Structure formats: structure tokens, C-alpha cells
Amino acid sequence: MPLFFSALLALLLVALSALFLGRWLVVRLATKWCQRKLQAELKIGSFFWIQNVSLKFQQHQQTVEIDSLWISSKLLSHDLPHYVALCFGEVRIRTDLQKVSGLFAPFSQSTGVHQKELSFSPSLLKIFCQLFSIHVDSINIMVLKVATSESLWHIQIRDSSFLLDSDGKRLKCEVSLSQINSKVLKSGQLEDTCLAELSLALKLCLEVGIRSRQLKAITVDVWTLHAELHEGLFHSQLLRQGPGVASKPVPCSEVIENLAEPTLPGLYLLQQLPDQIKVKMEITSVVLSMNSQKRHLNWTLKLLHFLYHRDEDQLPLRSFTANSDMAQMSTELLLKDGLLLSQSRQRIVCLNSLKASVQVTTIDLAASLVLNTCIIHYRHLEFSHWLHMLALETQGSSSSVLKQTKRRSV
């Protein structure tokens, strides 16, 4: 018996030593890979468990920190959708928006990586999707220099999950975010310190073709969306069009060519959309706040439902324009219980329901609009301050463009 226990103890020590050696080797390889490929420094605080993980991009001033990382099973938690789950504690991300463009430079410089090397087996992908899922307790994202050099964008996400599903032809990605709180802050004494606020719950589902690697379907579900847009947001650089984005003169030959082959506006955009789009928003509230005049507008909407479906396999509508056909498609928009109120709770717009639909078949195009009880009471005192502010913004942007054109001419 003593010999048996000594042999068992020796095997246990060998197993623990192999485990620690294997963990040290994996961490070492991961650290070297991050330094070589990502040009980042990887640190793991605890040796026995994966805790206090830190990934720092020194050149771009970006940091990713993870408090804890563990693997759970459906045997331990019956709420998990798959058998094995990769769980994260609190994830903190800090980045600088002005230096984020250089982050993906190491990936673009990599040579010898071809599309064939990145291919994967659909059967292995299907097994992987049925076994694993990713769950994160909370995510804190801080983005610096969003609008100006003294601005901050803070995003907090709670109880998020990431699921994959595949049938061999399509890859379905489902992201569920229980609560999202976001603020855009700006340091200043005279202006608004908070430019915008947003809170909502979101569920996003994407379907991608495995062979074509193109987006096939999008489904977005939003609950309890509340947004506040303050006066300082309209004065910031986020909504101002830079002088470099000015429209360039179009050559005369291109104008004549476009006139010779007319196309319907927006038809190219419809062709670039996925085959299916579903958007559903419940209990939406948007507030436009003007603190200098102590005025605000409050828009609430109980339901927004948008559906878009295109069928490329069926025969299209022939010769819809001079140089293109239109595929069979159907679009539907539904709005219910919309209400626009002033700060004195006076009704400006009251909408019971609005339903618009467009359907394209092989032989014709049909459209319908059903409006039920829409009351509009325009109050000039409620909109005069907003119109005056927008007029000043357009004058300021046009004057800046004229000054730069004069400098160029000189």
C-alpha cells in the first residue's frame, strides 16, 4: 500500500508539472505571437488561473484588460445554450480614435497569407458552432478624442453573449446585449459637458454565406431605446462636414454618359443590401435638448417594424430602367403610436399607425400607404430656436469653405 500511494503521488506531481509547463509554454507562445504580429505586450497576472490579462498596444495607445477568463459547461449551468462556454469577467477597452487607423497596419503588411490558407471545413465549423459559445459579464469601452481633443465616448455593456450556428451553407452569428449605456462627454465650462446619451437592449443576428462570404441576412431587435441629443452635439465637429469632403467637379464627359444611360436613384444601393433585413424597435424615446433656451422636444414611438426581402432566384422585372432590371423584392414599414411633445407637454405630432409597402414582381411594381389618425400641429415657437441654430451652422460651414477656396486661389 505505501508503494501504491507513493506511485500515485508521483503521477500526480508529474501531471501537475506537465500542466504548469504546458500553461507556461502556451503563455510564452501567445506573448511572442502578440509581440510579432500585433506589436503588443501581453501580460497575465495570475500564474495558476487566467486572471488580470492585459494587452497593450504601445505605439497606438490602446489597452485591452480582462479581469478573469474561465470555461464553463452546460452540466454546471443549465442556462448555457451550448455544451461548452468561454466566459469573460469584466473587459475594459481604452483607445484613441485619432490613432486607431494604424492599428491594422501589421495585418496589411503580412505576406504569404492567401485565401486558401484561411479556408475551413464546413463540417468542422458546424461541430464547433454546436459546442461552444462566448459570454461576457460586462464590457467598458473608452474612446478618446471623438469630437475634439477634449472629448470622451464611454460605452458600458452588460450581460453579452456571442453564439454561432451553421448548417454547412450559411454561418449564423447572434449577438445579444442585455443593456447598453453610452455617453459622449466633452470638457468645457460654457457648453454642454454631455453631448449625447443612449441606452438600449439589443439583439443582432447576421447570416453569412460560407462559400461566397457575403452577408445574406440581418435581423436587429431593439428594446427600450432612450436617446438624448443635446445642443452641444450640433455645435461639435461630429456633425460638421469637413472642407476636404467638398464635392469635386464632375467632367463633362461623365455627365453626358450618365444622361445617356439613366438609372433610378437608389437602385444600386438596393442591389448592395443583403437578401433579408428585419428591424424591430419597441418603446423608443428620443429627446432633443437645448439647454441654453431651456427647451426640448420629446419623440416617443411604441413600435417600428421594417422588413426587406429580395429573391434573386426568381425572374426579375425586365427593363425596369434603360440599362438594368430589378429583382423581385418586398419592403414593408410599420409605425405605431408616435408622439412628439414640447417641453410644456403640448402635442405637435400625434400618429396612430402608418404602414407603407412596396412589392416588385415579374410583371409590375405595387406600392401602398395606409395612414390612420395623423395630427400635426406646427408650433413655430418650439421650432424657431432649432431653425435659427441650424441656419447659423450652415452659414458657418459655408463661410469656412469660401475662406479656404480664396486661400487656394491666392
Side-chain angles (χ1 to χ4, degrees), residues 18 76 152 191 224 234 237 276 370 372 382 387 398 400 403:
L76 302 176
L152 171 66
E191 299 179 356
T224 62
F234 299 93
Q237 298 178 358
Q276 293 183 4
V370 179
N372 185 9
E382 305 296 340
L387 296 176
S398 61
S400 63
K403 289 180 181 179

Side-chain angles (χ1 to χ4, degrees), residues 124-141:
L124 293 178
L125 179 62
K126 186 176 181 180
I127 295 174
F128 177 82
C129 295
Q130 293 177 355
L131 291 178
F132 295 95
S133 62
I134 299 176
H135 303 267
V136 184
D137 290 343
S138 63
I139 303 176
N140 284 290
I141 303 175

